[in-house]
């Protein structure tokens, strides 16, 4: 037994190469090497089936590759082999006689799409990955593929979000864009307001006004993230009027009058640890905006901060 | 002063790519709503808030650099966000006050 890494059973039914074109393209770009688990538990050919059974039990895995002293893959013992051995009473014999020797292996440089077709074709839960000298360098289970795919999805969706075109808008045109804000997700809070500020910059709005809009959007976004059960932040722009609209699904503000007082806050220590929750948000928004409207009940809070572009007199807010 | 001048402060090291632009002021605060309300653009933000939101706040107010004080560890996603927003990130072994004094000296001499 060499290194430790736990392998669980796979859910091969979730992997199907007949997925959408986008997903298939993503899988085609990936190599087996990028998804495989390179820390593999192995057994020696001299080991007994009982020893392999212990490896499986201790590490909660259902298959153990068997290698010779040079690390060359020579067989595989699965939980089925162990059950048979227990049943027929040869559990204390060496694995060499009973291991599967006709193995389907994968090359680390194969595309992951090929690996997926192997899962479908052979119905195995895992494939050993070998190098050109047949030495074991990793193992690929359905779980490994799923983890890699999820990681890739996250990455790709991030790229797609950034690709959504935001063309320069003439002031006569109507522009509206809504961003969802997830409750308690501090890591992504600021994402929508940063995008809104960039939109304003692209429109040629003055640096000072962009900043005021950005501040209002950011405070609104943080409020949704920390105080509500989730909601959205939208920008609506027509002519010389730009509005930031914040909507959430509750639980609502108990006293708007108190919430508008600087220094009043219902935030907990978790929020404060991030540098928010000092009761400055709503007063900040009101101060930077040209018009401010707030409505709240148990079903949610709606806030609209309005800005007049080319206003001139409010440029120093 | 320029962003790159910040690296000259003893005990301050670069924590990512440096975007060398003009810095005309500094703001020290750990309360991000306060930063949003009061920090100026073309500024350097001196804080201990070592997380991604600080970068977003700096971007909103137009701060060009962030100095994280007391050698607080900077998470990878914060570094990524700073690079993406073209905000220079530094880490200081001094506290906010001491770091602020050094930045003030740089601003006075430029």
């Amino acid at each position: 037994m060499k290194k430790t890494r736990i392998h669980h059973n796979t859910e091969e039914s979730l992997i199907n190469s007949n997925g959408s074109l986008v997903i298939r393209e993503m899988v085609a770009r990936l190599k087996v090497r990028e998804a495989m688990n390179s820390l593999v538990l192995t057994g020696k050919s001299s080991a007994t089936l009982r020893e392999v059974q212990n490896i499986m039990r201790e590490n909660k895995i259902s298959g153990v590759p068997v290698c010779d002293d040079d690390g060359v893959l020579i067989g595989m013992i699965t939980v089925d082999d162990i059950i048979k051995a227990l049943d027929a009473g040869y559990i204390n014999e060496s694995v060499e006689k009973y291991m599967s020797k006709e193995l389907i292996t994968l090359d680390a440089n194969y595309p992951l799409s090929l690996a997926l077709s192997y899962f479908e074709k052979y119905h195995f839960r895992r494939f050993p990955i070998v190098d050109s000298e047949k030495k074991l360098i990793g193992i690929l289970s359905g779980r490994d593929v799923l983890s890699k795919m999820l990681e890739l999805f996250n990455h790709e969706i991030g790229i797609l979000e950034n690709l959504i075109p935001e063309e320069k808008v003439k002031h006569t045109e109507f522009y509206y864009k809504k961003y969802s804000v997830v409750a308690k997700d501090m890591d992504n809070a600021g994402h929508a307001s940063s995008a809104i500020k960039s939109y304003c910059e692209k429109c040629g709005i003055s640096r000072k006004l962009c900043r005021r809009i950005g501040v209002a959007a950011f405070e609104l976004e943080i409020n949704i993230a920390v105080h509500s059960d989730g909601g959205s932040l939208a920008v609506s722009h027509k002519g010389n009027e730009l509005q930031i609209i914040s909507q959430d699904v509750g639980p609502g503000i108990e006293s708007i009058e108190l919430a508008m007082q600087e220094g009043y806050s219902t935030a907990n220590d978790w929020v404060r640890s991030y540098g928010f929750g000092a009761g400055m948000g709503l007063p900040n928004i009101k101060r930077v905006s040209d018009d401010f409207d707030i409505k709240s009940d148990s079903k949610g809070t709606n806030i609209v901060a309005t800005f007049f572009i080319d206003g001139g007199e409010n440029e120093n807010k | 002063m320029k962003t790159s001048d910040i690296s000259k402060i003893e005990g301050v090291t670069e924590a990512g790519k440096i975007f060398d632009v003009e810095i005309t002021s500094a703001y020290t605060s750990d309360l991000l709503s306060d930063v949003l309300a009061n920090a100026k653009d073309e500024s350097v933000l001196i804080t201990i808030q070592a997380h991604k939101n600080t970068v977003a706040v700096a971007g909103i107010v137009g701060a060009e650099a962030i100095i994280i004080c007391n050698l607080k560890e900077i998470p990878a996603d914060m570094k990524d966000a700073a690079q993406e927003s073209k905000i220079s990130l530094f880490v200081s072994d001094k506290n906010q006050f001491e770091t602020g004094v050094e930045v003030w000296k740089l601003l006075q001499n430029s």
Side-chain angles (χ1 to χ4, degrees):
Chain A
M1 185 164 133
K2 289 177 187 168
K3 300 158 188 169
T4 52
R5 177 69 77 92
I6 294 168
H7 279 280
H8 294 280
N9 290 348
T10 70
E11 293 114 58
E12 57 266 64
S13 59
L14 286 173
I15 303 162
N16 187 324
S17 60
N18 298 323
S20 81
L21 190 63
V22 176
I23 293 170
R24 268 186 286 163
E25 276 177 6
M26 279 166 54
V27 182
R29 278 208 308 274
L30 279 176
K31 299 263 186 269
V32 166
R33 184 184 302 283
E34 294 168 76
M36 74 180 191
N37 192 334
S38 50
L39 298 167
V40 189
L41 274 168
T42 58
K44 284 187 171 176
S45 55
S46 57
T48 64
L49 286 158
R50 176 75 77 194
E51 282 166 345
V52 172
Q53 184 201 2
N54 288 338
I55 295 177
M56 286 181 182
R57 199 184 54 232
E58 282 161 19
N59 299 286
K60 297 191 176 66
I61 56 177
S62 56
V64 176
V66 181
C67 293
D68 68 13
D69 290 341
D70 296 324
V72 173
L73 178 72
I74 52 171
M76 178 79 103
I77 293 286
T78 68
V79 77
D80 289 343
D81 298 321
I82 298 293
I83 292 168
K84 275 184 214 156
L86 286 167
D87 208 26
Y90 56 81
I91 190 74
N92 291 317
E93 289 184 37
S94 144
V95 295
E96 194 153 20
K97 187 173 161 192
Y98 302 99
M99 65 189 183
S100 316
K101 297 186 184 77
E102 301 286 315
L103 298 178
I104 309 290
T105 61
L106 280 164
D107 187 298
N109 295 317
Y110 284 172
L112 201 59
S113 51
L114 184 79
L116 285 187
S117 68
Y118 269 45
F119 277 107
E120 263 185 281
K121 193 172 164 188
Y122 298 104
H123 295 283
F124 288 144
R125 290 176 166 180
R126 69 200 72 70
F127 290 96
I129 316 297
V130 292
D131 65 10
S132 54
E133 291 165 339
K134 301 282 170 217
K135 282 186 185 167
L136 183 75
I137 55 170
I139 201 152
L140 186 75
S141 70
R143 167 180 267 260
D144 297 328
V145 177
L146 282 177
S147 311
K148 189 68 200 175
M149 296 287 291
L150 280 176
E151 191 186 301
L152 195 68
F153 279 149
N154 265 330
H155 181 69
E156 291 285 322
I157 286 168
I159 291 172
L160 284 174
E161 278 179 349
N162 289 331
L163 276 180
I164 297 167
E166 283 178 81
E167 289 165 16
K168 188 159 180 165
V169 180
K170 285 181 205 153
H171 277 196
T172 49
E173 285 171 17
F174 177 67
Y175 175 88
Y176 180 86
K177 188 160 181 179
K178 193 169 169 178
Y179 302 84
S180 65
V181 182
V182 178
K184 311 291 177 273
D185 182 9
M186 286 304 279
D187 284 345
N188 291 306
H191 171 254
S193 38
S194 298
I196 290 171
K197 195 195 173 201
S198 318
Y199 163 76
C200 294
E201 283 166 351
K202 275 182 206 148
C203 287
I205 294 172
S206 76
R207 207 174 150 106
K208 273 186 177 164
L209 185 53
C210 282
R211 177 201 158 110
R212 283 168 45 206
I213 296 167
V215 167
F218 195 96
E219 293 283 14
L220 286 167
E221 190 176 358
I222 290 291
N223 277 349
I224 300 171
V226 305
H227 293 297
S228 84
D229 298 326
S232 65
L233 193 69
V235 54
S236 166
H237 178 197
K238 188 168 196 283
N240 67 352
E241 189 179 286
L242 187 145
Q243 291 186 316
I244 306 293
I245 304 146
S246 155
Q247 292 179 303
D248 68 54
V249 295
I253 301 170
E254 208 161 293
S255 164
I256 292 178
E257 202 185 326
L258 276 175
M260 292 306 299
Q261 282 178 19
E262 188 148 326
Y264 177 84
S265 176
T266 57
N268 57 23
D269 288 347
W270 170 73
V271 176
R272 289 172 199 266
S273 74
Y274 278 89
F276 298 104
M280 290 180 74
L282 287 174
N284 260 359
I285 300 162
K286 192 175 180 184
R287 186 175 50 81
V288 296
S289 56
D290 292 320
D291 190 40
F292 177 83
D293 184 55
I294 178 167
K295 287 186 183 68
S296 183
D297 60 31
S298 60
K299 286 182 192 124
T301 301
N302 285 357
I303 300 174
V304 180
T306 306
F307 298 86
F308 300 117
I309 302 159
D310 312 323
E313 75 264 32
N314 289 321
E315 282 292 280
N316 291 323
K317 270 208 174 194
Chain B
M1 64 178 267
K2 292 280 209 178
T3 318
S4 55
D5 292 331
I6 296 170
S7 325
K8 294 176 191 161
I9 301 172
E10 204 196 314
V12 172
T13 48
E14 297 172 3
K17 192 174 172 196
I18 300 308
F19 303 90
D20 206 14
V21 292
E22 197 61 33
I23 302 272
T24 56
S25 72
Y27 198 77
T28 304
S29 182
D30 301 324
L31 183 55
L32 295 180
S33 284
D34 173 47
V35 175
L36 282 169
N38 297 313
K40 295 192 171 66
D41 62 358
E42 294 186 341
S43 62
V44 50
L45 172 61
I46 301 160
T47 185
I48 52 160
Q49 290 291 356
H51 54 83
K52 222 167 111 178
N53 301 117
T54 312
V55 176
V57 166
I60 296 285
V61 297
E64 302 286 1
I66 301 168
I67 307 176
I68 299 295
C69 296
N70 286 347
L71 289 179
K72 269 196 92 176
E73 200 181 320
I74 302 176
D77 63 354
M78 183 184 188
K79 288 184 184 176
D80 293 346
Q83 175 139 2
E84 209 175 290
S85 312
K86 296 195 169 59
I87 291 171
S88 308
L89 207 52
F90 299 89
V91 63
S92 170
D93 66 2
K94 299 180 177 65
N95 65 31
Q96 296 92 305
F97 176 75
E98 293 160 338
T99 307
V101 168
E102 296 303 321
V103 172
W104 182 78
K105 284 183 197 163
L106 283 174
L107 284 166
Q108 292 303 302
N109 292 331
S110 61

